Structures are given as C-alpha cells and as structure tokens.
Amino acid sequence: MNESVCNSPVCVCVVLFLQNVEYMFGIVGVPIIEVAMAAQAAGIKYVGMRNEQAACYAASAVGYLTGRPAVCLVVSGPGLIHALGGMANANMNCWPVIVIGGSSDRNQETTGAFQEFPQVEACRLYSKFSARPGNLTMIPAVVEKAVRSSMYGRPGACYIDIPGDMVNASVDLKSVRFPCCCPPPPGSLASDSEILKAAAVLKRAHRPLLVIGKGAAYGRAEDELKELVELTGLPFLPTPMGKGVLPDDHPNCVAAARSRALLEADVIVLLGARLNWMLHFGLPPRFNPHVKIIQVDVCAEEMSNNVSATAALLGDVRAVVTQLTERLRSDAWAYPVGAEWWSALREKMASNAQISKALALRPTLPMNYYTAFHHIAQLLPRDCIIVSEGANTMDIGRTMLLNHLPRHRLDAGTFGTMGVGPGFAIAAAVLEQARRGTKRVVCVEGDSAFGFSGMEVETMCRYKLPVIIIVINNNGIYSGVNAETWREMEKMGDMTAIAPPVTLLPEARYEQVMCAFGGRGYLARTVEELRHALQRSLSDTTAPSLINVLIDPASDRKQQDFPWLTRSNL
C-alpha cells in the first residue's frame, strides 16, 4: 500500500491502538474481515468468537477489568442485532465497550441492500454514543470520541458504523488529523458541605452499614475503603460484584447476614451501588422505612433515585472515600466494637452459617447445591477469578464461594443477563494469558445458563485458555425432573404438552461438548468425583475443563426471609 494513503480499516485500527485499546472480540464476515486483519497488524489482539452476543460480553468484561474499553467487531444487520444484548448489558452495568459494525454501502441505502438495517439509529437505544463517520478523514475523531464517551461520566457502550464502501476506500494521510490518546477520566471531589453532613449523620447512627457496589470495584477504591473500614470499624456488605473489594472473610463483612443488615440499618452509605432491584429499591419491607442514605456516585442523575439521599456525595468513589475518611479521622470517630448492632449481626451470621453447613454436610445423593459448593470452595485458589450465572447456582454460589481480591467476580449483573458466563470467562482468561499470570478462571454455570453461550467452549479450546467450567446440573431452569420421571412422561405422549416448561433433558452430558473440541471433560455424581475432577482441572494449565456436576433436581435454596425479587409498590 502507498504509505501516503490509508484505507478505512487501517485508519480505524491505528486510531484504536493510539487510544490504548488492546483487545478486539468478534465474528468476521463481509464487510469487516479487513478490519480484524488491520487490528492484528496494528498490534491489537483479536479473539474470534462463535456468537456476537458473547463477543460483546467479553469485550465489555475487558472494559470492567481494565478500565479501558475493548472492541466488539460485528458484521452488518443480524450480526449487529446479536450484539445489542451485550451493548445493553454493558450500559446497565456501566462498563465501557466499543462496538464497530459493518453496514451496507451508502449508495445502496433504501434499496434493500444486503443486510441493510438502520444500525446507527438502533444503537442509540443501547449506547451512550452512536455515529457513522461522514468521511474517512473523520474516522480518528469519531473513534476518539467513542473511546472517551465510553469511559467518561457513567461508563457504557458506544457504536461506530463503517459502511462497506468506506471499508474499501482510501484517504490521503496528510488530510487526516489523529487526536492524542484520551486520558483516564478526571476525578472529582464531593462538596465539603456534603462531606460534613455525611460525617455528622454517620456519627449519630446506631446501626450503620456500608454497601460496597461494583462501582467501587470499577473505580479501584479498594485501598481507600480498607482504610475507611479499619479506621471506623464499620460493618460492610458487598453487592455481588462488589465482592472482593474488601475480602469476603474480612471481620467486618456481614454478607452472611445480608437481609438483617439491610432491614435494620438506620444509616446506609452507598459506595458505587444503586438502589435498584438488586438492593430492593431501598424500600420497605426489605429496608427500614426511616433509613438515611449517604450516597456516593459519579452520576448526578442517580442521586436520590427511589430514596432521597440525606447526603449526596457526587464524585469519584476513590476521592470521595478519602474525603470522608479524613473527615472522620479529624473527628477521631470510630464505631463502637461492642455495639448491640454488631452483636445482632454476628448472631445472625452464625445462625445462617450453621444452616448452610448442615445442608452442605448432608450425605444424600444426588448432591444438593450446598454440598457441591462446600467442596468446590475448599479447593478453589484464594486468588481465582470466579464467573457465575444461573438462578440458584449464582445466588447460592455468591454466599459460599468467597472472593478475596477486587474485580475477581463477574456475574449476571444489574441486567440479570443469562449467557454472559463463557464470554466473561474468555475475557478474564485472555487478560491473564497476556499478563503471563497464573490465576485460574473458574466459571460456575447453571445448566440452563450454560446453554445460552456453551459453544464458546470451542473458543476456549482454540486459544488454549485454561478456563474451568463447572456446570451445576439440576436438569432444568430453577428445577427439573429426574431421569425416571422423564422416561415416564415420554411414555405419556407429546412432550410439548406434558414436559414442564422449566425442565431440560435429564443428566445431559455437557462435559462431552468440551471433549469434542479437545478440552477435558468430567462427570461428577458424588463428592469424591467432584473433588477429583476439580483437583485434576486445577493442576492442568494446558487446556480448558468442564465438570458436569449432577445434583438433585429438587435441590433449592434455604428458606429466605423474603422472596428473592422484591416487587415495588411505586
């Protein structure tokens, strides 16, 4: 190619590289094959996936884990539509990601061109920024703006549209202006008056509680929060992806008394967490009707959502936590270690732990959730990255599989999205591989959840990513039926009229899917088989593994104080 000219794919990928975008996930086809090839030539790592949705999940997970967006590359029409689920998930989770989609030639618009679709308009519903460069000279500016928009303010998805005729066009390099690399988002401080108000409210609290959200994990506030907790002695509760910001086995972690802590706290400090469905909107019956909320968030629009904030600390979570810590240190204040609130929380934690232990040690076969997780937890390395999805699989696993390091748990998230597991696991493993690290990525899946993106095991095998997938197989969605009952139903006639909608094929051999592509597969019916399979998988760093754990189809969660999903009366 003439060095004085540049075509569209090269221009896009050079700008991405200059913006410190290191990873691209996607599925190639007309008209974007050249973009993937140009990405590799520019020094961007390209991971070919089996479904655009999983590719977008993977790219967004890189954004969460690194703070810098990755790219999801998709073909036009159906390819982009498949990726919209990943874009929506990224937006709801507030994770940065760039989606680049090919589209039909501009001179064929409205003619019924191949895979013609209003892509820029469609993506506006699922992204912070959606644009098509007007010409080749505008590509660098549009790419820089997409990268910046994905990270600044509340992070999210951005879309760039590249028409087919633009892919094959060239431009004189002298006419192109390449913007400087977009720096990390600038931090901001909360107002002094709100810090003073927050400190005063916290000091008057009888039953205070810190809630650590994934916003604190994304904001890398672990050191600042450790200092705050150790200075004040306050109890804290992590949200699912806030787990590990401070270790789950920290003496001030009250996750084992979650319902009691939320219900009886009179002052709650929200640290990068939102009062949405995951925290039951902050409303009765799950919360004290008179609870005072101290809210720390980077997004002004989130303040006082559902419950009015007594103190609204708008700013970067690291900076704001430092402000609050310094204010409390200057007042020489700490929460009394012998307070009745601590006694009540510890009593509830001990009671719940006893119930879970009794369930875990039941010797019956098939195993239940608690037995399986009890033995998995005993063997997992302390520094492993846990990916989890499924209904009971995810919820019970959250309480039993501990995280000790920040950003070491990825799950269905704010959008409650099923199918994210393999994509998230691939992203985490690719990053670990690039760093030449030794941390294991363990993906714990319900059998239903695994079905959404299970073909990505081929991707894991192709790139030799030593992911360990553990499928907790209860033959269904929420619950299933055993093999004997299934055979009886088959004798009764048309299964479409007979089989309960929640059932899946009993004792499906998911481990054989992994074996088909050269990975390791294990079937575990007993504790001994489970432990053997997990030990073998942890010792093998050459290939991915899948452990198919057969549990009782009727296994369920322990009795809950409230239904898992709070219905709002708003």
Side-chain angles (χ1 to χ4, degrees):
M1 186 183 72
N2 188 336
E3 292 183 1
S4 65
V5 298
C6 178
N7 65 24
S8 174
V10 171
C11 189
V12 168
C13 295
V14 167
V15 179
L16 288 170
F17 182 80
L18 293 174
Q19 293 298 323
N20 285 342
V21 174
E22 298 183 66
Y23 297 92
M24 180 180 287
F25 301 80
I27 299 177
V28 296
V30 176
I32 49 82
I33 295 175
E34 292 86 353
V35 178
M37 296 172 66
Q40 289 181 316
I44 296 171
K45 295 178 175 64
Y46 177 81
V47 179
M49 305 283 284
R50 299 303 299 260
N51 182 277
E52 291 90 353
Q53 199 169 59
C56 200
Y57 294 148
S60 65
V62 168
Y64 170 66
L65 294 169
T66 68
R68 202 82 187 176
V71 170
C72 173
L73 181 68
V74 299
V75 300
S76 51
L80 174 68
I81 292 169
H82 291 166
L84 292 179
M87 293 176 68
N89 189 66
N91 256 13
M92 294 298 290
N93 276 334
C94 307
W95 292 356
V97 67
I98 308 294
V99 177
I100 297 177
S103 61
S104 51
D105 291 5
R106 288 170 293 180
N107 62 3
Q108 294 179 346
E109 285 184 353
T110 74
T111 67
F114 176 67
Q115 295 183 337
E116 182 179 354
F117 187 71
Q119 298 183 182
V120 175
E121 294 83 353
C123 287
R124 289 196 176 112
L125 291 173
Y126 303 90
S127 64
K128 294 182 64 182
F129 171 78
S130 179
R132 172 193 287 179
N135 54 57
L136 268 66
T137 62
M138 285 297 297
I139 285 176
V142 170
V143 171
E144 188 277 339
K145 184 166 185 177
V147 171
R148 177 162 40 87
S149 298
S150 75
M151 297 189 299
Y152 281 32
R154 170 166 282 176
C158 292
Y159 175 68
I160 302 171
D161 192 75
I162 308 293
D165 57 310
M166 192 177 284
V167 170
N168 298 312
S170 299
V171 64
D172 186 344
L173 276 174
K174 294 178 182 178
S175 65
V176 180
R177 182 181 67 85
F178 289 89
C180 295
C181 180
C182 170
S188 55
L189 297 172
S191 70
D192 290 338
S193 61
E194 290 298 303
I195 290 289
L196 286 171
K197 187 190 299 183
V201 170
L202 198 51
K203 287 159 61 178
R204 292 195 297 268
H206 296 290
R207 298 180 301 281
L209 179 67
L210 304 177
V211 175
I212 300 176
K214 72 172 174 287
Y218 179 80
R220 286 160 169 70
E222 50 268 20
D223 292 339
E224 290 76 11
L225 281 168
K226 181 175 184 286
E227 187 176 4
L228 173 64
V229 168
E230 293 184 354
L231 172 73
T232 62
L234 288 165
F236 71 86
L237 172 70
T239 64
M241 272 189 276
K243 283 164 58 67
V245 173
L246 296 180
D248 282 345
D249 57 0
H250 191 289
N252 290 52
C253 180
V254 296
R258 182 181 190 273
S259 293
R260 175 70 59 85
L262 293 177
L263 176 62
E264 297 186 5
D266 61 355
V267 172
I268 291 178
V269 185
L270 288 177
L271 297 153
R274 291 173 277 177
L275 290 178
N276 54 21
W277 69 273
M278 296 182 74
L279 284 174
H280 322 292
F281 315 105
L283 299 173
R286 303 296 295 266
F287 281 70
N288 178 342
H290 306 295
V291 66
K292 292 181 171 62
I293 300 295
I294 298 170
Q295 192 167 2
V296 180
D297 205 289
V298 73
C299 179
E301 290 85 350
E302 191 60 41
M303 294 299 181
S304 297
N305 193 35
N306 293 324
V307 177
S308 294
T310 303
L313 308 182
L314 179 64
D316 173 76
V317 64
R318 292 178 65 185
V320 173
V321 170
T322 298
Q323 286 180 279
L324 186 58
T325 301
E326 292 307 312
R327 179 69 261 170
L328 295 171
R329 178 180 284 115
S330 68
D331 294 339
W333 179 83
Y335 187 67
V337 68
E340 289 185 16
W341 178 228
W342 263 123
S343 298
L345 291 172
R346 288 183 178 123
E347 180 182 348
K348 184 62 174 174
M349 290 166 66
S351 172
N352 284 344
Q354 189 173 11
I355 294 169
S356 294
K357 185 176 181 180
L359 289 167
L361 297 180
R362 284 183 178 174
T364 55
L365 289 177
M367 292 178 281
N368 63 40
Y369 284 106
Y370 294 87
T371 302
F373 284 128
H374 172 75
H375 290 279
I376 292 169
Q378 287 186 337
L379 296 174
L380 289 186
R382 188 177 176 87
D383 65 351
C384 74
I385 299 164
I386 299 174
V387 180
S388 185
E389 62 173 329
N392 290 337
T393 297
M394 182 174 64
D395 290 341
I396 299 171
R398 170 173 51 85
T399 66
M400 299 188 70
L401 304 179
L402 302 188
N403 289 93
H404 306 282
L405 295 169
R407 296 168 296 282
H408 279 53
R409 178 183 165 91
L410 296 149
D411 66 22
T414 306
F415 213 25
T417 308
M418 294 296 113
V420 295
F424 285 177
I426 287 168
V430 165
L431 289 174
E432 195 63 18
Q433 188 181 73
R435 296 165 180 162
R436 301 186 185 279
T438 59
K439 293 178 183 177
R440 301 309 305 270
V441 178
V442 180
C443 183
V444 186
E445 301 268 300
D447 51 336
S448 172
F450 176 71
F452 285 87
S453 302
M455 197 63 176
E456 297 301 338
V457 299
E458 187 273 335
T459 307
M460 297 173 190
C461 291
R462 186 169 10 116
Y463 291 100
K464 292 182 168 53
L465 302 172
V467 173
I468 299 171
I469 299 177
I470 303 174
V471 176
I472 305 296
N473 185 355
N474 70 344
N475 305 339
I477 304 166
Y478 305 116
S479 62
V481 298
N482 59 37
E484 183 179 351
T485 302
W486 184 266
R487 286 192 291 269
E488 291 299 318
M489 290 193 302
E490 287 182 316
K491 295 175 185 177
M492 296 168 63
D494 184 358
M495 290 292 278
T496 62
I498 297 168
V502 295
T503 56
L504 298 172
L505 184 69
E507 301 184 3
R509 300 297 298 272
Y510 297 111
E511 79 283 359
Q512 295 183 4
V513 178
M514 181 66 85
C515 293
F517 300 110
R520 319 284 191 234
Y522 303 92
L523 179 67
R525 297 178 183 272
T526 67
V527 166
E528 292 75 20
E529 290 172 344
L530 170 58
R531 293 182 68 93
H532 173 75
L534 185 50
Q535 288 168 334
R536 288 283 301 274
S537 299
L538 288 168
S539 66
D540 184 356
T541 59
T542 63
S545 303
L546 192 153
I547 307 171
N548 184 14
V549 185
L550 303 185
I551 69 166
D552 184 353
S555 180
D556 202 355
R557 300 178 66 180
K558 66 181 178 65
Q559 186 66 39
Q560 303 294 298
D561 293 333
F562 298 95
W564 74 272
L565 182 61
T566 301
R567 300 293 180 185
S568 172
N569 294 320
L570 291 176

